Amino acid sequence: MELLAFIVLIITIYLWIKNRRKEKLRIYLIEPYVKIDNPIPLCGAPDVVWINKQETLIVADYKNRFNVYDSDIIQLSVYRLLLEKTQRNKVARYGFIHLKNGKRVKVDLLSNDEVIKLYHRYQGITGGTVRTRYTNSAGYCQYCRYAGNCR
């Protein structure tokens, strides 16, 4: 009986410590459509926007897979810029990707300047004024409409 009580105590302490490590979040918005024209025209709808105890907004997206990709970080970074321009609350420099296996992965987001540079590069590529180039990962190229334009 003492061993059972000891095991229950250890499990309780473990769960309490594990629970304290995760940031406590509340839902702020669910799939809000957000649009801006300044500094660049953007629109999007994050799956969820969390708010923490400090009233800081945190963008998150749910993925039906087990990995986080660079494109996910770009997507969340765009959402961050959208929220910064449309909400009064501060927006965190990180976001969360919720994966199919239940994991919540914290990712550092791009700065607003990096998002704006990506936008202008994309406009240049689609407008034909910027030449595309190969990436280090062939997996990115297989679905790219502009792969034939690469050097």
Side-chain angles (χ1 to χ4, degrees):
M1 189 66 165
E2 289 178 24
L3 180 61
L4 180 62
F6 178 73
I7 292 171
V8 169
L9 176 65
I10 295 299
I11 292 171
T12 303
I13 291 171
Y14 168 78
L15 291 174
W16 178 76
I17 290 171
K18 184 180 175 193
N19 214 11
R20 288 186 47 119
R21 282 191 220 145
K22 282 192 175 178
E23 188 171 12
K24 299 291 183 194
L25 304 172
R26 300 183 322 270
I27 292 175
Y28 180 75
L29 295 168
I30 297 176
E31 295 185 2
Y33 177 77
V34 187
K35 181 179 177 182
I36 61 171
D37 291 318
N38 190 20
I40 54 177
L42 289 175
C43 62
D47 287 343
V48 66
V49 179
W50 300 105
I51 189 165
N52 65 15
K53 290 179 183 177
Q54 294 77 32
E55 300 295 309
T56 300
L57 303 181
I58 302 162
V59 295
D61 211 41
Y62 289 84
K63 300 298 179 186
N64 194 21
R65 52 183 149 79
F66 300 102
N67 304 25
V68 174
Y69 298 123
D70 291 342
S71 58
D72 300 329
I73 295 170
I74 294 169
Q75 180 182 13
L76 287 184
S77 299
V78 167
Y79 294 155
R80 178 178 171 267
L81 176 57
L82 287 166
L83 291 172
E84 279 191 352
K85 298 298 181 183
T86 60
Q87 303 298 308
R88 292 184 179 187
N89 296 62
K90 180 181 172 189
V91 184
R93 297 288 316 244
Y94 62 90
F96 292 111
I97 302 292
H98 298 269
L99 299 173
K100 185 176 184 176
N101 58 7
K103 288 186 179 178
R104 179 174 82 177
V105 180
K106 183 178 180 179
V107 294
D108 292 325
L109 302 179
L110 303 175
S111 71
N112 290 345
D113 288 341
E114 290 171 307
V115 171
I116 293 167
K117 281 181 186 178
L118 282 173
Y119 171 83
H120 288 300
R121 177 160 172 73
Y122 175 77
Q123 292 300 313
I125 290 169
T126 58
T129 60
V130 172
R131 282 197 52 123
T132 55
R133 61 179 183 263
Y134 284 108
T135 180
N136 292 334
S137 173
Y140 283 123
C141 297
Q142 76 184 39
Y143 299 109
C144 179
R145 287 185 269 182
Y146 306 100
N149 299 344
C150 287
R151 293 177 229 164

